[in-house]
Amino acid sequence: MIGIIVCGHGGFASGMTSALKLIAGMPEKFEYVDFVQEDSTDDLEMHLKKAIGNLTMCEEGILIFTDVYSGSPYKISVDLSSKLKDMPRVIVLSGTNLGMLAETSMSRAMVKDLRTLADMAVAVGKQHAMRQDLPDEDVSE
């Protein structure tokens, strides 16, 4: 099974994990890392290394879901994904929303290819980001 790590600023990762547990139960082979104000980027790197280390049994690879593109969680995850040669393959995603996380987590039982699952996650994330306009007000009155 492909492993999942959620990482983001503040309580993003723990909040997403809490919501995911409410919707689908606690997933297997799943870690989360919050990047809180007291943490340095070195602390974040250490926590991410530990989370990746906890998922070394995921031979198909690991997806790391981050909150924003080019933030510290994203940059450090990308850096680690290229440095850790003795670990499973890692793909880093940004712009995580609950819909993409839930659907990706539940799809891991069927989708075994890391790239395919990553592409699916991005597509689902886009589907879950939408706008609903209010009806135009009748100005004739």
Side-chain angles (χ1 to χ4, degrees):
M1 178 181 282
I2 294 169
I4 289 179
I5 299 171
V6 180
C7 184
H9 295 85
F12 176 82
S14 56
M16 291 293 274
T17 301
S18 175
L20 180 62
K21 284 198 283 192
L22 183 65
I23 292 170
M26 187 59 190
E28 296 178 64
K29 296 180 175 64
F30 183 97
E31 299 281 327
Y32 67 90
V33 176
D34 284 329
F35 181 41
V36 295
Q37 188 169 357
E38 299 79 29
D39 286 343
S40 67
T41 53
D42 289 338
D43 293 331
L44 176 60
E45 182 174 344
M46 179 186 65
H47 296 309
L48 278 167
K49 280 181 182 176
K50 181 179 180 193
I52 292 168
N54 290 342
L55 297 175
T56 55
M57 80 298 272
C58 297
E59 295 173 4
E60 297 91 354
I62 299 169
L63 287 178
I64 301 179
F65 289 81
T66 64
D67 52 358
V68 293
Y69 176 74
S70 81
S72 294
Y74 177 83
K75 287 190 233 180
I76 291 172
S77 296
V78 168
D79 188 48
L80 285 175
S81 72
S82 65
K83 276 188 202 175
L84 301 174
K85 302 297 182 196
D86 56 335
M87 296 292 194
R89 183 148 182 257
V90 174
I91 293 179
V92 182
L93 307 172
S94 65
T96 301
N97 61 49
L98 184 56
M100 76 189 281
L101 183 59
E103 196 159 326
T104 304
S105 179
M106 292 185 284
S107 295
R108 293 182 295 159
M110 297 167 287
V111 180
K112 304 296 183 190
D113 180 72
L114 186 63
R115 280 188 191 272
T116 301
L117 191 62
D119 290 343
M120 187 203 83
V122 171
V124 170
K126 289 177 182 179
Q127 290 171 352
H128 283 262
M130 59 178 53
R131 181 182 99 190
Q132 176 61 48
D133 285 336
L134 296 174
D136 290 334
E137 293 184 34
D138 186 5
V139 290
S140 61
E141 294 180 26

